[in-house]
Amino acid sequence: MIDRPTVQRILDAADIVDVVSEFVTLRKSGANYKGLCPFHNDSTPSFSVSPARNYCHCFSCGKGGSPVGFIMEHEQMTYPEALRWLAKRYHIEIKERELSDAEREQASERESLFIVNEWAAQYYHDILLSDPTGRTIGMQYFRSRGFRDDIIERFRLGFALDDRRAMPSEAIRKGYRAEFLLKTGLCYKRDSEAALTQDNARDLLSDRFAGRAIFPWIGLNGKVVAFGGRKLDKATKGVQQKYVNSPDSDIYHKDHELFGIYQARKAIGR
């Protein structure tokens, strides 16, 4: 957990005009700034930002707040996540305090799912860029569909090898827990009756997305919540499941997510 002195440094550094300008086009209006409200369908500038008060407020829908409150509302973040977002923006080093046993138990599993997904997104992306099969098959697919390098990087696109044991074996070798590979939906068990352990995970777990182009789903908080995998064109003949998506989990509910929302958030704000 972030310690109190660090929290105060973040709060002192965060400038409401600077933060809101990341998402809203502002114009000077006397001592304040005005813009279209990012929280409702605003046709006239009803969103006011006060540098003196370090506060923003919409006179139409009533939403607004401090820099932390604005980020929490706009990016759908928790208070700690908003603090971390601001700390990164203002280059403030996060100093943590040790969590209590109760706090650690509550937060650890959910955070572990995000950590595993983040690793997997980078793993698939590295396969696409660096592995010979990823470059010749996966990259060729994206090129044939007109994807530029900047789009591939921005959306963190990747490729999964045909070998269904490759990704889970590498994850286990890196020390990631088998149960979280299962709970995120990255993998499934080949034998549904067998008890999964860290020792037998390489034999039991299969990569759900093997042989597919990978599209990570990134939430408004910037964390990877799920994945979509598409069979390549030459492999889709007679295949019913052209697309495979992550199943619902503690960090992903498909009806609550929109693919590309993280990459589009600034344009949406404007």
Side-chain angles (χ1 to χ4, degrees):
M1 183 174 288
I2 306 174
D3 65 14
R4 288 187 179 277
T6 305
V7 171
Q8 193 58 52
R9 285 185 62 207
I10 295 169
L11 298 179
D12 291 342
D15 178 83
I16 192 66
V17 176
D18 178 48
V19 171
V20 173
S21 294
E22 181 78 8
F23 308 96
V24 179
T25 300
L26 297 175
R27 291 184 175 83
K28 196 82 164 61
S29 178
N32 297 329
Y33 291 81
K34 285 188 176 181
L36 297 176
C37 178
F39 302 117
H40 77 281
N41 189 16
D42 198 8
S43 57
T44 58
S46 57
F47 197 71
S48 177
V49 179
S50 170
R53 298 173 57 209
N54 209 32
Y55 198 83
C56 60
H57 178 74
C58 177
F59 290 97
S60 180
C61 71
K63 291 187 177 181
S66 66
V68 176
F70 176 83
I71 292 298
M72 288 176 64
E73 180 70 31
H74 192 276
E75 299 294 274
Q76 294 297 290
M77 291 182 176
T78 64
Y79 182 70
E81 288 171 342
L83 287 173
R84 292 177 188 280
W85 189 97
L86 291 167
K88 184 177 180 180
R89 180 173 183 81
Y90 291 102
H91 309 290
I92 296 173
E93 181 183 359
I94 294 289
K95 293 184 178 179
E96 307 273 359
R97 72 165 176 83
E98 187 69 19
L99 295 174
S100 68
D101 289 342
E103 290 172 330
R104 188 181 295 108
E105 184 178 353
Q106 184 178 17
S108 62
E109 178 164 323
R110 181 177 171 85
E111 189 59 32
S112 294
L113 299 181
F114 283 125
I115 289 170
V116 170
N117 272 354
E118 178 62 30
W119 174 83
Q122 191 60 49
Y123 169 83
Y124 291 133
H125 188 61
D126 289 344
I127 291 292
L128 178 69
L129 299 182
S130 304
D131 184 87
T133 302
R135 291 200 305 270
T136 56
I137 298 178
M139 189 62 79
Q140 177 58 37
Y141 166 75
F142 286 120
R143 292 283 185 249
S144 71
R145 290 304 184 99
F147 286 82
R148 305 187 309 268
D149 287 345
D150 61 313
I151 297 298
I152 290 171
E153 287 296 328
R154 187 180 180 195
F155 285 85
R156 304 183 65 183
L157 305 182
F159 181 72
L161 298 172
D162 278 328
D163 182 356
R164 290 193 176 273
R165 296 190 181 190
M167 185 274 286
S169 293
E170 181 64 10
I172 296 299
R173 189 183 73 82
K174 291 282 189 180
Y176 294 97
R177 287 169 58 179
E179 65 174 299
F180 296 134
L181 292 169
L182 202 60
K183 287 181 177 180
T184 56
L186 282 164
C187 296
Y188 62 87
K189 280 198 304 181
R190 285 189 286 274
D191 182 352
S192 59
E193 301 298 322
L196 179 66
T197 68
Q198 202 72 1
D199 292 332
N200 67 14
R202 288 183 175 87
D203 297 322
L204 283 183
L205 292 181
S206 289
D207 184 348
R208 184 181 301 275
F209 304 103
R212 296 175 184 267
I214 300 297
F215 299 82
W217 286 61
I218 303 176
L220 278 171
N221 59 7
K223 296 182 178 181
V224 180
V225 297
F227 296 87
R230 187 194 190 279
K231 276 287 187 185
L232 307 190
D233 289 339
K234 65 179 182 180
T236 57
K237 187 175 181 181
V239 174
Q240 291 183 341
Q241 273 194 309
K242 184 184 292 187
Y243 293 94
V244 169
N245 295 311
S246 296
D248 276 10
S249 69
D250 287 345
I251 61 173
Y252 172 67
H253 301 282
K254 189 173 183 180
D255 58 349
H256 294 169
E257 301 292 340
L258 178 65
F259 182 82
I261 188 68
Y262 177 74
Q263 291 85 354
R265 68 197 189 287
K266 292 182 182 179
I268 292 171
R270 290 193 295 268

